Amino acid sequence: MRIAILGLPTSGKSTVFRSLTNQPGASAEEAVASVKVPDERIDKLSALYKPRKTIYASVEFLDLGAAAGMRKESSELGQRFLNAVRPAAALLHVLDGFSVPEAAAEAAAEAVQVIDTELGLADLAQVEKRLERLRKEGLKAVPAKQEAELLERVRAVLAEGRPLRSEPELARTEALRSFAFLSAKPMLTVLNTAEGSGEALLQALPAAVRAARQGVNGALLGMAGQLESEIAALPPEDARAFLADYGIAAPARERVLRAGYELLGLQSFFTVGEDEVRAWTLRKGGVAVEAAAEIHSDLARGFIKAEVVPWNTVLEHQGFEEARKAGKLRLEGKEYPVKDGDVISIKFNV
Ligand SMILES: Nc1nc2c(ncn2[C@@H]2O[C@H](COP(=O)(O)OP(=O)(O)OP(=O)(O)O)[C@@H](O)[C@H]2O)c(=O)[nH]1
Ligand SMILES: [Mg+2]
């Protein structure tokens, strides 16, 4: 899963990227780094199994250098930017709250306006291009007519200056998936402040900004980017002491990952064994056969049944097989709704 970082020039995108990944941000080239999602359930399962490999869920962050980003003189989004951002599952918009603290709220409001307008215009251009094409072809076939109707609904939302993410049902429509509309992507807004967690400044943001970014498909949080990027480079024990000194409850990386998971409606399930203890990511409400598909398409194709047990039951019984002997495993079919923290073993036949 990839989250693309965007924002106005020098808003602190690369600084936020470093605080999340402890890797250098974009220079001339874009930077991508993968971050493991901390999970104490995996820590505990791994301590029990002592497997050869322990694999955490991970999230990728993308920092597009200035070249692909927005230019100072013109806020228009370049083609390179659009191509790089389209495949992302979510967007992370960095707001500059540090350079002029006393004017940060207004600057943030303006930046939100600029970015949302640009994303909306990029989507609108796509919609119009496609509609024109469909019309040229005559709109005779039913699918073309249906697509045109759907695109008209999209256009109406965009024409009102609203991002598609504010219409979650429309944004999720299967028939629109291939457009990968930018304004439909879940949006995590990060206010990059000079110090602390930015709480006070967040409260000072105009209500309209908070509504635009905190509602459906949105989350808003603050972080001290510069400070967090220095903390991210420290050994874990030092980092913890540092955070405590500054009164920051959890490192920005953890808060962002948590918010991202929540925003994308994701949950984790696990597989365990001597060889490997591993976390997998699945949408909330996802069913057993989808969990199987995450692991391998063969498991989904040849799905027979899933053996399922909560992770803490595995710990209580000191193992999956031991939990089986104690009669704790449940047999579930393809349509079983997976729960966060389930340990799963798929039985299949291909
Ligand atoms: N004091 C302070 N300075 C910051 C903070 N975040 C970023 N800066 C500084 O602001 C400048 C720009 O930060 P970058 O992270 O490079 O911003 P950017 O958005 O990646 O910039 P471009 O990629 O050039 O658009 C750098 O000099 C940073 O050191 C912060 O939280 N506090
Ligand atoms: Mg940068």
Side-chain angles (χ1 to χ4, degrees), residues 13-14 26 63:
K13 299 181 294 295
S14 298
D63 178 22

Side-chain angles (χ1 to χ4, degrees), residues 30 53 58 167 196 213 220 287 311 317 319 322 325:
E30 62 185 50
K53 275 183 296 184
S58 66
E167 293 284 339
R213 291 303 180 84
L220 181 57
V287 296
W311 73 279
H317 292 272
E322 290 72 10
K325 281 175 205 138

Side-chain angles (χ1 to χ4, degrees), residues 39 41-42 55-58 261 266-272 276-283 290-296 299 338-344:
D39 192 331
R41 300 169 298 182
I42 282 287
I55 304 177
Y56 291 79
S58 66
Y261 256 61
L266 298 175
Q267 60 176 350
S268 299
F269 71 94
F270 310 119
T271 51
V272 297
E276 179 182 286
V277 166
R278 179 163 186 164
W280 303 86
T281 304
L282 186 70
R283 68 181 179 88
E290 291 175 284
E294 280 298 315
I295 302 172
H296 198 287
L299 269 63
V338 173
K339 291 191 193 61
D340 192 38
D342 276 348
V343 176
I344 297 185

